[in-house]
Amino acid sequence: MEFQKTPGWLDWCAAPSKPQFKVPAGSVDAHCHVFGPGGPFPYAPERKYTPCDASKAQLYALRDHLGFARNVVVQATCHGADNRAMVDALMHSGGKARGVATARRSVTDRELQELHASGVRGVRFNFVRRLVDFTPKDELIEIASRIASLGWHVVVYFEAVDLPELWDFFSALPTTVVVDHMGRPDVSKPVDGPEFELFIKFMREYPNVWSKVSCPERLSVTGPKALNGERAAYRDVVPFAKRIVETFSDRALWGTDWPHPNLKDHMPDDGLLVDFIPHIATTAGLQRKLLVDNPMRLYWPEEARA
Ligand code: 0GY
């Protein structure tokens, strides 16, 4: 099936640079997606955007290019609750990818078992209005309690301004809760201002809450421009991500977000995104927790170091 991309859609960077930062052995890209391809894996009728295709082979080629060992493939909203493209990517990863699915109340126990067998370890609840029509919270609570018994976690995606309204719902979830992209702070505001402090308080009060320190390219106002010719982009996001990595070193994850849906201004060079890591995780110990120990504990607990 042919799909027409959303007007103005930016395709992923076809020739990313080689990062200067060498990630530790066994590093996990804990947030990325596959899109279709739309022929075998059609996009969902209820989708809010139609992307370019971005296949599992292209994702795994990027993993190797950047020096990563494993991926966590997160179901993208353009596929709705049809997890087949994501599951197909997991099944063809040789055990090097795990997944996060989208589930509806109608999902059967057998389907959940099949998703588990393919490598799914979580479900994603999305509260970003431009991406999804909201699922009622009672349905989400029901799904969360069903997946808790499989040892899965819940990934949540929301905008910082919505945290106060979502606080009680998130704190009632019975699983580990992983927040996408630091809860999307407005990085033009101070890192110690009330908005980001609320997110820090949220993580402090609830030890089951983790955060991905991903997507500087989405959050940055200053953008990808280098400083003094250094490979140092998205500098305005550094204080926010660094604070989480240093304050909650055992609960932070990092991911590329390839193929970077819905970017309007520029498409990041994935090599440059990897070179962002040593600015937010400034010691070898923090880098190892962020890229290896934490994601292994969450997604491959059977192989994780004690
Ligand atoms: C991301 C961010 C976005 C999109 C999705 O599933 C999705 O469509 O997550 C976004 O547009 O901010 O994490 O990929």
Side-chain angles (χ1 to χ4, degrees), residues 188-237:
S188 66
K189 294 181 178 164
V191 67
D192 56 357
E195 189 183 270
F196 201 58
E197 283 298 342
L198 189 71
F199 184 61
I200 296 289
K201 179 170 185 264
F202 179 55
M203 288 196 73
R204 194 165 273 141
E205 278 190 23
Y206 298 101
N208 62 321
V209 175
W210 295 39
S211 176
K212 292 178 196 162
V213 288
S214 41
C215 281
E217 74 285 4
R218 259 177 220 293
L219 305 174
S220 180
V221 180
T222 55
K225 63 178 180 293
L227 215 65
N228 306 327
E230 240 190 293
R231 281 172 65 83
Y234 315 117
R235 292 310 293 257
D236 51 345
V237 186

Side-chain angles (χ1 to χ4, degrees), residues 23-29 60 63-64 66-71 93-97 291-292 296 300:
V23 299
S27 287
V28 182
D29 174 354
Y60 298 148
R63 172 199 66 199
D64 295 344
L66 299 177
F68 282 74
R70 303 177 194 230
N71 297 92
S93 70
K96 290 180 177 172
L291 297 170
V292 185
M296 288 300 289
W300 284 269

